[in-house]
Amino acid sequence: MLQRVFSAIYLIFGVSFLSQGLLEARKASLISTEEIPTVMEKFFRYHVEKKALDGEIVRRCFAIYIDQFDPERIYLLEEERALYASMSRQRAAKIAKNMARGNFSVFYAMDDLIKTAIKRSKKIRKGASGWMSDPTFYDVDVREKQTYARNERELKERLKGKLMRFYLHHQRHTKIDTPERREQLALFFLMKLQERENPYYALDLQGNLLDPRMHEHQFSVRILKAFAKSLDAHSSYFSPEEAKELRFHLEKQFEGFGIVLGESIDGVFIAKIIPGSPAEQQGILQEKDLIIELDGKPADELTLTGVLAHLKQRDKPSIELGIERREEGADIETFYVTLEKAPIVMDQERISLKYSPFGSGIIGCITLRAFYDNGGDVTSEMDIKKALLTLRSQGELKGLVLDLRENGGGFLSQAVKVAALFIKSGVVVISKYGQNEIHYLRSIDPRASYHGPLLVLTSKISASASEIVAQALQDYGVALVVGDVRTFGKGSIQYQTITSDDPDIYFKVTIGKYYTVSGRTTQMRGVIADIVIPTSFAPFQLGEEYLQHPLKADKVSPAYEDSLADVDPHVRGWLEANYLPYLQEKMDMYHAMLPYLRKNSKARIQKNPSYQAFLQNQENIKKRIEGDPNVSVDLLRNFGLEDLQMEEAINVLRDIIYLQSKQSLDTSAEQEHLKNAS
């Protein structure tokens, strides 16, 4: 389950994030410290609230800068952290003035402190290879700490806890059952720590000295990343490589070889082969194959980041991989494979559908994993239209589940277009910007692609664009929202240069907040489920409220009756004639059913032994997160059904269809009675 929660770190070629983002630096302009004030000014120009550098931003910036280096609290002591993250208002204001003038000497001092902490850590962990031989090691506290250590003894315990987490993660994938294997794991652990530490010593991934300009670039990137995050939870600065990867996510296509990599104590291996890619078409590679050579050079001393750095070089249209295949009960096989780069469309990350028979027709289920648009014919809107046609070819579509449980968002324009498939004309999104300037995004097509019983299935990680769709359809009453109690709670709008061609810098910055037609924002509160069907994400602390510096929630006036206040007078007449007469009415038929639907759903879940076992396991996960080591959890069990939440969502749809048919019969009987009475 934890792997699913954090699966956003998918390491596809072109879809992996590298901590310092330097792979494209040779061809992209390097950022110097002199350029930092200019970049900051660009953020302030766009940001919805923050317009100038001040002491509050500086204090936030240092706290984030520290957290970028030491997120697990295993390096710095509390007294060291406090020197920068808890500085006085006067000192912060003075630093703000210096930063605005291009003076970043205080960050150099911060890096000196970090290097001191690294030296101390290396001294503490000299005996790490022997820690795992001590039986008491396996009783170490593995929980990540929210506070910083008070002394070196606590730092040592935290390093042991990190090594234990490292061990628990890797033992799920490979055997670590001998002293030699445990020592191998410890050395791998130390190598991964050093990979994090090298940039602060002006070293590359392999420990070679960096060019001074490259080192300054790294330093500047760290400052800008911390600065951007200090404005709000969703403003970010990106290296060119990171921007490239994000663009692949948004557009669902990229050029590459088509393999997903993993990493173990044995080295870098092939974790997945992407359907339709050069690797699949060649038909030689298999999952778990170990990469031992890259273009004739040994890969055994490279970490995953180092292998990716080699594979992502733009001047490499092909790659020769040395492969070692270890199958149980067979001899180790070694061979070589040459892969050619080719365009890849990530169909498996777009949409999927299934259906189940119901009466004389079917109930359809469409899973949408993101809101994407490649500027051509690959869009979430078009994929859903095609999915509806496919479902209808299987029989009368009596009900539909739109599954957004693992949808973290994407293009706002696509959210509007997807919502428009289920309503007539009307406002879908209201956006408010820095000067309280309000704009409306509308559906102007009076024809809905589907207008039958509809459920939107959500979870705690349904965010941003998926929340727009869920709440807009809920506002109009054309759908009920089922799933976790609430969604993520991201209701802010970002301007971004990620999908721009050759911008000066790559960044996204929060420029406003969005609201749906009811005037409600999803910011912080999320979309509240009409019927609670807990998902696998329920026990985890996920949501906007857990992020650093989130924007506050507010509301604007509803827009069911569209005033066209923001419309250019030249097009107003056309909209008055062709748009206003077809506005989607607010419907309440599903809300009248809610008491019955909730009662039935609750009863089914209580009587379902698989769901009850699932809920008990979820409760145990929650207790474990809260610090109770005495509860046992099963993160892999499927509890008897492939998808408990989808199964219950379909059951709710069946109830809705039954109630609608009953109401139709009652209405017909009443009309017949009135006819006879007259």
Side-chain angles (χ1 to χ4, degrees), residues 444-458:
I444 60 173
D445 188 345
R447 301 164 299 174
S449 296
Y450 175 81
H451 50 73
L454 175 64
L455 293 185
V456 183
L457 184 53
T458 60

Side-chain angles (χ1 to χ4, degrees), residues 360-582:
S360 59
I362 62 168
I363 288 176
C365 307
I366 298 176
T367 299
L368 184 66
R369 296 178 178 85
F371 290 88
Y372 45 85
D373 186 345
N374 75 340
D377 57 357
V378 178
T379 70
S380 47
E381 175 202 20
M382 292 302 299
D383 281 350
I384 290 183
K385 282 185 175 181
K386 293 174 185 176
L388 289 170
L389 289 173
T390 301
L391 289 171
R392 288 186 173 116
S393 71
Q394 303 301 316
E396 182 186 355
L397 188 53
K398 291 183 173 289
L400 180 67
V401 179
L402 180 60
D403 180 6
L404 303 178
R405 281 174 294 176
E406 298 189 22
N407 189 315
F411 286 104
L412 176 64
S413 59
Q414 280 297 304
V416 175
K417 290 179 179 180
V418 168
L421 296 176
F422 303 101
I423 63 170
K424 298 190 294 183
S425 298
V427 171
V428 177
V429 174
I430 307 167
S431 53
K432 185 174 74 171
Y433 299 97
Q435 304 301 322
N436 289 323
E437 181 184 358
I438 292 182
H439 293 281
Y440 300 84
L441 298 178
R442 302 168 170 90
S443 165
I444 60 173
D445 188 345
R447 301 164 299 174
S449 296
Y450 175 81
H451 50 73
L454 175 64
L455 293 185
V456 183
L457 184 53
T458 60
S459 76
K460 275 188 172 183
I461 66 167
S462 302
S464 193
S466 62
E467 293 177 289
I468 289 174
V469 172
Q471 187 163 287
L473 300 181
Q474 185 186 57
D475 282 351
Y476 278 115
V478 300
L480 291 178
V481 176
V482 299
D484 287 334
V485 174
R486 66 181 68 222
T487 56
F488 191 88
K490 180 187 179 295
S492 57
I493 305 168
Q494 281 72 43
Y495 167 76
Q496 53 85 15
T497 62
I498 297 160
T499 55
S500 303
D501 293 326
D502 299 321
D504 294 336
I505 61 169
Y506 292 99
F507 70 105
K508 65 175 177 137
V509 57
T510 300
I511 59 175
K513 283 184 277 190
Y514 65 73
Y515 313 76
T516 48
V517 65
S518 62
R520 294 181 297 158
T521 180
T522 63
Q523 179 65 18
M524 296 293 282
R525 69 189 294 275
V527 182
I528 309 302
D530 296 300
I531 301 170
V532 176
I533 304 175
T535 77
S536 302
F537 303 103
F540 296 91
Q541 291 184 335
L542 300 167
E544 190 83 1
E545 62 186 300
Y546 299 107
L547 300 182
Q548 290 179 308
H549 318 306
L551 300 180
K552 295 179 180 178
D554 60 354
K555 60 183 179 179
V556 296
S557 299
Y560 293 104
E561 300 294 331
D562 192 350
S563 66
L564 304 179
D566 64 329
V567 172
D568 188 310
H570 293 93
V571 297
R572 190 182 185 97
W574 186 92
L575 289 172
E576 288 174 342
N578 299 282
Y579 164 75
L580 291 182
Y582 307 103

Side-chain angles (χ1 to χ4, degrees), residues 63-304:
I64 295 168
Y65 192 90
I66 291 168
D67 194 59
Q68 286 175 170
F69 165 69
D70 192 15
E72 296 169 290
R73 317 301 195 244
I74 60 172
Y75 285 96
L76 291 164
L77 298 174
E78 169 56 30
E79 62 185 28
E80 294 168 338
R81 181 207 69 88
L83 289 173
Y84 294 91
S86 300
M87 65 179 66
S88 67
R89 291 179 179 272
Q90 292 80 3
R91 186 184 177 206
K94 182 178 179 180
I95 291 173
K97 290 180 181 179
N98 287 338
M99 287 174 63
R101 291 194 291 262
N103 182 343
F104 298 97
S105 57
V106 67
F107 285 93
Y108 286 111
M110 179 76 249
D111 275 11
D112 286 340
L113 179 61
I114 287 173
K115 284 187 279 189
T116 299
I118 291 171
K119 289 178 184 177
R120 178 175 58 216
S121 178
K122 287 183 176 182
K123 180 181 177 183
I124 293 171
R125 64 191 194 230
K126 273 186 177 178
S129 59
W131 289 349
M132 300 181 73
S133 301
D134 185 348
T136 62
F137 169 77
Y138 298 91
D139 297 324
V140 70
D141 185 355
V142 299
R143 291 174 296 172
E144 290 188 21
K145 303 297 188 292
Q146 298 302 311
T147 58
Y148 287 81
R150 294 169 295 181
N151 50 51
E152 290 191 23
R153 180 184 59 79
E154 288 187 8
L155 284 176
K156 184 174 182 178
E157 288 303 303
R158 293 179 184 208
L159 278 166
K160 285 184 175 181
K162 179 169 176 59
L163 176 57
M164 186 61 181
R165 292 193 298 273
F166 199 75
Y167 165 76
L168 292 172
H169 170 75
H170 284 283
Q171 76 163 354
R172 295 204 303 264
H173 308 291
T174 186
K175 290 182 179 179
I176 310 174
D177 53 357
T178 65
E180 292 77 18
R181 293 289 282 173
R182 287 193 289 270
E183 183 173 359
Q184 191 177 354
L185 177 84
L187 292 174
F188 180 39
F189 168 74
L190 295 175
M191 184 169 64
K192 294 301 291 182
L193 288 180
Q194 187 164 317
E195 188 178 85
R196 178 198 301 186
E197 298 162 355
N198 277 357
Y200 294 88
Y201 283 98
L203 301 175
D204 66 13
L205 298 172
Q206 285 75 47
N208 303 312
L209 195 64
L210 284 172
D211 178 272
R213 289 179 65 246
M214 183 68 75
H215 180 49
E216 183 181 8
H217 172 79
Q218 285 191 351
F219 177 66
S220 301
V221 166
R222 290 198 295 268
I223 294 173
L224 285 169
K225 282 183 173 294
F227 160 74
K229 285 296 179 189
S230 71
L231 301 180
D232 72 278
H234 299 288
S235 291
S236 300
Y237 174 83
F238 303 106
S239 70
E241 180 61 19
E242 290 169 328
K244 177 182 174 185
E245 294 157 355
L246 275 171
R247 185 166 185 162
F248 295 152
H249 272 301
L250 290 168
E251 297 179 351
K252 298 303 174 192
Q253 64 178 13
F254 63 99
E255 186 176 70
F257 304 114
I259 51 180
V260 180
L261 297 183
E263 188 175 31
S264 72
I265 64 174
D266 296 309
V268 178
F269 63 91
I270 294 171
K272 183 180 178 181
I273 297 173
I274 299 172
S277 69
E280 186 196 49
Q281 292 168 4
Q282 191 179 67
I284 298 174
L285 294 173
Q286 297 179 9
E287 293 182 7
K288 298 184 180 180
D289 282 348
L290 196 67
I291 297 176
I292 58 172
E293 283 188 21
L294 292 167
D295 289 328
K297 297 179 181 179
D300 55 336
E301 293 186 4
L302 291 178
T303 62
L304 176 61

